[in-house]
Amino acid sequence: MPDRLVLATRGSKLALAQSQLVAEQLSQHAPHLQIELLVVKTTGDKISDGSLSEAGGVGLFAKEVEEALLDGRADFAVHSLKDLPTEMPSGLTLAAMPERADPRDVLVCRDADGIDALPEGAVIGTSSPRRMAQLAHYRPDLRFHPLRGNIDTRLRRLESEGLDAIVLAGAGLLRLGMADRITQWLPLEISLPAAGQGILAVEARADDTRTISALSAIDCRTARVCALVERAALAALGGGCRQPVGVLARVDAGMCQVRGVILEPDGRDCCRACVTGGLDAPEDLGRELARELRQMGATRMLEQNKGSWSTEHPRGKQ
């Protein structure tokens, strides 16, 4: 067991809160362990306007942090799992995934008390193709406004830009102690989360056995199984933040159920599937879900979506 470890993290309020959470969990298992933070600014942090999917998508919040691991400046790093590409960089491994927070999306409204109470033609702040397509499928009258920035910035823009509501990952608000800002936890039938949403990924060098051993104390088998299932499904579909794809796995009584949805960019049509299996081959289960979706017509939608997405939603005036 090492005496000191350096933790690489982004500098946003949420990233720091997540890193502190992991550090506290580690300290419970190894009180003698000293953990130092190395704050790294990523490409994603430098993008203040426009869509992440247009700027390159998944990986924008991870690359520079991973470089700090690979060059030895840090021993481990903490990410939101959904920010990581499904293919790991050579030399790195996911050493731990602590217990998952609630993975659902939430609605934060300016006046209404939920999605059904929003006025006709309400303007929703989000730059996520997945969220836009699913909300448009549920309510075709909704309009969408590009929304970037950290959570505080997005909450301010709800008021300053006259938006009716914004959509966020509920886990982020919970980890920041801002649960009181949540208007509604969106039902899974309305908004299925991104693969890995709510899971923290603790990354280390694959050959650093001492650090990996220390991090294993905070690994949650249920979170890891769900992560493997969801990421395998996403990889098999070739999806990412550019695609309107939602995937969510849940473990209960020794079995894993995984649900998936793929939509046309405007939300007019969608494919949904659900498969259940054991815990011994989670990646196979994810690939089975992908096959089910493709058989239902997802291949056509994925091809249609390639290169076609912009922050301006196909339905309604932005």
Side-chain angles (χ1 to χ4, degrees), residues 48-81:
S48 58
D49 297 305
S51 167
L52 290 177
S53 62
E54 292 174 342
V58 176
L60 293 175
F61 292 110
K63 182 175 180 290
E64 288 83 358
V65 175
E66 291 176 331
E67 288 173 351
L69 282 179
L70 290 168
D71 65 23
R73 284 177 289 149
D75 300 297
F76 70 105
V78 176
H79 308 270
S80 293
L81 182 62

Side-chain angles (χ1 to χ4, degrees), residues 112-124:
D113 61 5
I115 190 167
D116 292 328
L118 289 170
E120 182 81 13
V123 180
I124 311 297

Side-chain angles (χ1 to χ4, degrees), residues 98-248:
E99 184 176 356
R100 187 179 207 168
D102 195 316
R104 290 175 294 170
D105 286 328
V106 298
L107 202 65
V108 179
C109 299
R110 190 153 49 93
D111 297 311
D113 61 5
I115 190 167
D116 292 328
L118 289 170
E120 182 81 13
V123 180
I124 311 297
T126 178
S127 290
S128 162
R130 174 186 61 83
R131 288 169 175 156
M132 279 191 261
Q134 289 191 90
L135 294 184
H137 182 77
Y138 181 71
R139 277 196 53 176
D141 64 292
L142 295 177
R143 296 180 295 157
F144 299 89
H145 182 79
L147 190 68
R148 282 279 300 114
N150 59 39
I151 288 178
D152 284 337
T153 298
R154 297 186 195 199
L155 290 172
R156 284 196 299 271
R157 290 180 65 184
L158 172 65
E159 302 292 338
S160 66
E161 298 184 18
L163 306 177
D164 293 290
I166 61 176
V167 192
L168 300 169
L173 290 172
L174 292 178
R175 288 171 179 147
L176 287 173
M178 302 173 71
D180 60 314
R181 295 303 306 268
I182 297 172
T183 303
Q184 180 187 15
W185 289 89
L186 289 172
L188 299 177
E189 294 73 22
I190 295 177
S191 186
L192 202 63
Q197 188 160 299
I199 298 177
L200 297 181
V202 186
E203 196 175 28
R205 288 185 297 279
D207 61 357
D208 187 355
T209 55
R210 288 205 314 159
T211 298
I212 291 172
S213 177
L215 294 172
S216 66
I218 62 171
D219 191 51
C220 172
R221 182 170 182 252
T222 297
R224 183 173 287 274
V225 166
C226 290
L228 290 173
V229 172
E230 293 169 20
R231 284 164 65 81
L234 194 64
L237 290 167
C241 72
R242 293 172 184 243
Q243 299 275 15
V245 178
V247 185
L248 180 64

